[in-house]
Every structure is written in C-alpha cells, then in structure tokens.
Amino acid sequence: MNFCVDSSMLSSLIPMSIAGVLFGSVPILDKMAMRHYELKHLIIMRFFLIAVMNIFLIGSFITFYNHTDVKELFNNKGLNIVILTALVSIVAFVAYFYGIRNSKNTALVIISATGIALMTSILLANLLLKQASPLGVKIGFLFIITGIAISFYNL
C-alpha cells in the first residue's frame, strides 16, 4: 500500500487547517463568554449576531447574482435538504452549548463531539452517499472510538 496525496487533498489542506483552527478555538472562547452571560443569553446573542452577519453576507451574494438566479435558489429540489441541514445545525448548536456548560472539561466535550461527528459522517457517507470507506478510514474509525473511551476512562 502506497501513501499518496493527490493535488485535491493538497489544495484542501490550507482551508481545512484554517477551519480546524477556527472551529477548535470557538469552544474555548464560548466557555470564556459563559463567565459573563447566562446560557440562554449567550445562545440568543450568538443567534442574533449570526443572523446579522448572515443578512450582510446574503446581501453581498445577491449583488453578484441577477434576480432570476436568486429565484432559482428557492425553486431547487435540494431546498428540503438545505432546510433539514439548517434545522439540524440549530439543534446541534444548542446541544453544543449545553455540553460545554455542563462539563468542567471543555476539551473532553470537544473530543467527544468531534469523534462522534466524524463517526456519523463516515457512517452517513457509506449509507446515504454510497461512498466506500478505505481501510485507513476504518482503522481511523476504531481509533476514534478508542480515543473517546480512553478520554472518559481517565476522568
């Protein structure tokens, strides 16, 4: 078995790294914000700020499309999937805050949530997208389960 990295993987490396660093810093910043806000206020504040930022981004994107293209966005058959994704994201977002609030160890919450998210993605890619997992992914799946178990065992 040869280890090979193709150009698409290399071109994904920088954006994946940026996303990883930013997503990794958010829980720590949220835990720090919890010192200053009640949970319900923090959730409302985050939803509000995300909404304001999204309105700005939507306005920016619309300026690059003509009116017909924007109408086509809402006539697409994939709209149900996008709505489902938005709803799932909202529930995950709220659950994430409760997980961080209820734990004294923020890193453990993030390790567990990330591991479960990775396992879910691997399983759904196999089931819904019919994407076979190579041996390395299957081994990684076992490492994730083992890592989560070790993390909880050492509490």
Side-chain angles (χ1 to χ4, degrees):
M1 182 185 311
N2 293 332
F3 179 74
C4 176
V5 178
D6 65 4
S7 62
S8 68
M9 185 65 171
L10 287 175
S11 65
S12 300
L13 190 59
I14 291 175
M16 287 188 312
S17 298
I18 291 169
V21 167
L22 294 175
F23 282 132
S25 64
V26 168
I28 305 308
L29 297 171
D30 282 336
K31 189 74 168 183
M32 292 169 62
M34 284 181 187
R35 296 179 194 154
H36 307 285
Y37 289 100
E38 289 182 41
L39 183 63
K40 64 182 178 184
H41 295 142
L42 181 58
I43 291 172
I44 291 169
M45 187 65 110
R46 281 283 297 277
F47 276 135
F48 174 75
L49 291 173
I50 288 170
V52 169
M53 291 176 196
N54 281 334
I55 289 169
F56 173 75
L57 288 173
I58 290 168
S60 299
F61 286 128
I62 287 176
T63 61
F64 293 108
Y65 292 106
N66 65 37
H67 187 66
T68 309
D69 291 336
V70 173
K71 281 184 179 179
E72 288 177 15
L73 291 174
F74 295 99
N75 292 328
N76 192 315
K77 292 180 182 177
L79 185 59
N80 290 338
I81 297 171
V82 175
I83 291 170
L84 178 63
T85 303
L87 292 172
V88 167
S89 296
I90 290 168
V91 172
F93 183 75
V94 173
Y96 149 83
F97 271 112
Y98 277 97
I100 289 177
R101 184 195 68 177
N102 295 340
S103 176
K104 292 180 183 175
N105 190 337
T106 305
L108 181 62
V109 172
I110 301 312
I111 288 169
S112 300
T114 303
I116 292 167
L118 289 170
M119 292 186 313
T120 303
S121 293
I122 291 167
L123 290 173
L124 291 178
N126 283 325
L127 294 172
L128 301 177
L129 301 177
K130 309 295 185 218
Q131 294 177 348
S133 297
L135 180 61
V137 171
K138 292 174 184 172
I139 293 170
F141 190 86
L142 293 174
F143 279 129
I144 292 168
I145 293 170
T146 305
I148 292 172
I150 291 170
S151 297
F152 277 101
Y153 180 74
N154 289 318
L155 282 178

